[in-house]
Amino acid sequence: MIAENIKKVRENIEETCKKVGRDSKEVTLICVSKTKPESDIIEAYNVGERNFGENKVQEMCEKHDDLNDDIRWHMIGHLQRNKVKYLTDSAYLIHSVDSKRLLEQIEKEYEKAGKEAHVLLEINVALEDSKFGYTCESVIEDLPFIETLKHVKVVGLMTVAPYTDNPEDNRKYFRKLKELSVDIESKKYNNISMDELSMGMTGDYMIAIEEGATLVRVGTGIFGNRNYNV
Ligand SMILES: *Cc1c(COP(=O)(O)O)cnc(C)c1O
């Protein structure tokens, strides 16, 4: 079941890239394994997947410790400052950085660990009250501060688009995130590159790829529905 789902998602990625003239090597599939058992992750690993996404720090650390070292763990959930210290060993990329205070904490903990954090800035493009993230305007204010950080490297932007039955509805948000990344890139900040765009989930990842996504986060479409009551 999981292997079949992955095959389908991989085909969709290939076809979408072909449709818009992109090289599918530019698009990394992140299998969002939050709430799912390690046996599910192993199934995906055994058909070649190496990028997994989690939204809880403790769950990610446990899975990181238990499973193979060549897995890249992506922190995609809202991050509390007091949890940052647990990420220095386990996180390959932190997608959900949404404030100066969080950036300061990441700088502090990664300095202590003698490492460099790779992060994305989360943007609430659709301005939903329920979502975290900078606005397209507020993020600009923190960029000069980010230039001063020695242990944090910003490598792109991330957004969580609204839930919708019609993925076309989200195209405008993906396009806006891409525009913002082009705008930031053109300003040539030190320490900030716009190589990565993390956007698109099960319902809308193909639209996101059409609009320039380099990282798509697919959970349900690979592992099935999540049960939060167990
Ligand atoms: C859960 C989650 C996903 C995966 O969502 P699906 O709709 O199951 O593909 C992607 N991104 C974030 C930030 C998530 O929390």
Side-chain angles (χ1 to χ4, degrees):
M1 171 72 167
I2 290 172
E4 272 167 48
N5 290 343
I6 288 171
K7 187 158 172 272
K8 186 69 209 161
V9 171
R10 290 254 167 228
E11 281 168 12
N12 287 338
I13 292 173
E14 284 297 328
E15 276 170 28
T16 307
C17 284
K18 198 174 282 175
K19 180 175 156 194
V20 294
R22 295 186 64 192
D23 183 339
S24 62
K25 287 194 205 75
E26 291 170 17
V27 180
T28 298
L29 172 61
I30 300 174
C31 305
V32 176
S33 48
K34 63 190 186 194
T35 78
K36 296 294 178 180
E38 291 175 0
S39 56
D40 283 6
I41 297 173
I42 292 167
E43 258 187 85
Y45 183 94
N46 285 343
V47 293
E49 299 306 326
R50 293 295 179 272
N51 290 274
F52 292 87
E54 292 284 337
N55 68 340
K56 297 239 157 55
V57 171
Q58 191 184 342
E59 185 175 343
M60 187 175 96
C61 288
E62 282 170 16
K63 288 171 172 172
H64 166 270
D65 290 349
D66 289 348
L67 298 167
N68 283 2
D69 285 342
D70 59 348
I71 292 178
R72 293 173 167 182
W73 294 100
H74 296 256
M75 175 40 61
I76 62 174
H78 182 63
L79 184 55
Q80 289 171 314
R81 284 181 304 138
N82 61 355
K83 302 275 175 68
V84 171
K85 56 177 175 285
Y86 304 113
L87 291 180
T88 58
D89 271 341
S90 57
Y92 173 74
L93 182 64
I94 306 170
H95 291 229
S96 43
V97 175
D98 60 0
S99 74
K100 192 169 171 180
R101 291 176 77 210
L102 182 57
L103 282 158
E104 282 168 342
Q105 188 71 24
I106 296 172
E107 170 73 11
K108 190 172 132 200
E109 293 298 339
Y110 277 75
E111 177 172 21
K112 237 191 265 175
K115 292 185 175 172
E116 183 179 71
H118 286 191
V119 312
L120 305 177
L121 301 174
E122 179 170 358
I123 314 290
N124 184 359
V125 184
L127 299 173
E128 289 180 282
D129 287 340
S130 58
K131 298 247 165 78
F132 293 99
Y134 286 105
T135 65
C136 292
E137 291 76 35
S138 70
V139 68
I140 305 294
E141 292 161 22
D142 280 359
L143 300 179
F145 166 72
I146 293 170
E147 288 193 291
T148 69
L149 300 175
K150 302 221 159 29
H151 299 86
V152 181
K153 212 174 186 55
V154 169
V155 297
L157 304 178
M158 176 269 215
T159 197
V160 181
Y163 180 79
T164 169
D165 289 331
N166 179 10
E168 275 293 340
D169 293 344
N170 284 338
R171 186 184 293 279
K172 55 182 178 292
Y173 301 123
F174 298 145
R175 193 165 287 177
K176 194 155 178 216
L177 192 71
K178 172 72 183 185
E179 283 168 9
L180 179 62
S181 81
V182 169
D183 181 41
I184 293 174
E185 183 91 301
S186 75
K187 296 189 175 123
K188 308 261 178 253
Y189 290 95
N190 290 321
N191 217 21
I192 299 173
S193 81
M194 288 288 127
D195 296 338
E196 305 291 350
L197 271 187
S198 172
M199 56 188 195
M201 313 183 3
T202 295
D204 54 20
Y205 67 92
M206 288 183 271
I207 302 289
I209 291 170
E210 289 180 15
E211 297 300 328
T214 66
L215 298 160
V216 291
R217 312 179 305 265
V218 180
T220 315
I222 290 173
F223 298 110
N225 288 329
R226 288 176 291 271
N227 182 355
Y228 287 100
N229 302 317
V230 288

